[in-house]
Amino acid sequence: MYVLRNIRDATQGLGYYLRFIEKHYAAECHASINFFDLASPYYLETILVLQDDAPVALCSLFSNPELFLDGPKMLCFGYYECVSDAEVAEILLKALESAARAEGCATLVGPLNGSTWNNYRFSLQPIDRLYFTERHHHFCYNEQLIAHGFQILAHYESRIDSDLKMMEARKSQQVHTHWRG
């Protein structure tokens, strides 16, 4: 049996996130996972699915008036965490949509932790090594969101240029000079 809760207190929500991360991620992944944006003025609530008083799925809603897409009001959801279970994902995502409708939301976008300045994206392919700005997530999250009907809004690509040969010599020298101080 699952219990659904909506938590408006970010500190209380953080406690559930930490419990989930501790149980469902390997210790080496913990450093890439933070929850800075729960303290954001855009934070609305955390939606939580519990089983035997343990979090099995949760995500947070944010309302940033600077973000808009196809309508007057857009909400974003972030910090999506869920066990690898389609039923649990559906419970969470339906509750998320219900909470968004209760806020008068016309559009729901995620994962987006309040703004694009924060860590907000899921990789579409499993990756061996995270870039320093990327957050670890379970790959099944993509499948859960798509199965529920979410569509990919944008793509990004990260690359490493270890020798800066792509830059013209003058620009390359400016970059090296800048970072050497």
Side-chain angles (χ1 to χ4, degrees):
M1 183 167 146
Y2 300 107
V3 175
L4 190 61
R5 290 187 58 203
N6 293 43
I7 300 170
R8 294 268 179 177
D9 179 347
T11 303
Q12 185 180 12
L14 175 60
Y16 283 106
Y17 276 111
L18 295 175
R19 285 176 57 194
F20 185 92
I21 298 304
E22 184 68 30
K23 182 173 181 179
H24 298 283
Y25 284 89
E28 61 268 15
C29 300
H30 293 187
S32 83
I33 303 171
N34 63 65
F35 301 95
F36 300 130
D37 308 313
L38 289 179
S40 162
Y42 307 133
Y43 172 84
L44 291 176
E45 66 182 310
T46 297
I47 298 161
L48 173 66
V49 180
L50 296 165
Q51 183 178 36
D52 299 325
D53 202 37
V56 292
L58 61 168
C59 70
S60 294
L61 266 176
F62 297 89
S63 178
N64 182 337
E66 301 300 319
L67 298 176
F68 53 91
L69 177 72
D70 297 336
K73 184 163 185 179
M74 179 184 109
L75 292 181
C76 49
F77 67 92
Y79 296 121
Y80 182 89
E81 298 292 348
C82 188
V83 295
S84 183
D85 183 314
E87 179 186 3
V88 173
E90 275 300 301
I91 292 168
L92 176 64
L93 293 168
K94 285 180 181 178
L96 175 67
E97 289 176 336
S98 178
R101 278 192 298 277
E103 291 288 334
C105 173
T107 306
L108 186 60
V109 175
L112 186 60
N113 300 343
S115 82
T116 56
W117 285 103
N118 307 319
N119 193 311
Y120 64 91
R121 54 196 180 233
F122 288 160
S123 174
L124 294 177
Q125 297 176 350
I127 52 179
D128 295 329
R129 223 175 63 194
L130 294 175
Y131 288 94
F132 71 96
T133 61
E134 294 176 329
R135 179 183 193 275
H136 187 83
H137 70 277
H138 295 296
F139 193 67
C140 67
Y141 295 174
N142 299 326
E143 297 161 354
Q144 292 171 349
L145 293 171
I146 289 170
H148 187 71
F150 283 94
Q151 298 174 356
I152 296 172
L153 178 64
H155 290 89
Y156 75 96
E157 190 170 322
S158 298
R159 295 180 182 258
I160 293 176
D161 182 5
S162 59
D163 61 8
L164 295 178
K165 285 184 180 178
M166 290 175 37
M167 297 180 120
E168 59 187 78
R170 183 176 57 76
K171 284 287 188 191
S172 179
Q173 185 57 44
Q174 288 174 342
V175 169
H176 286 287
T177 301
H178 173 79
W179 288 109
R180 281 190 206 131

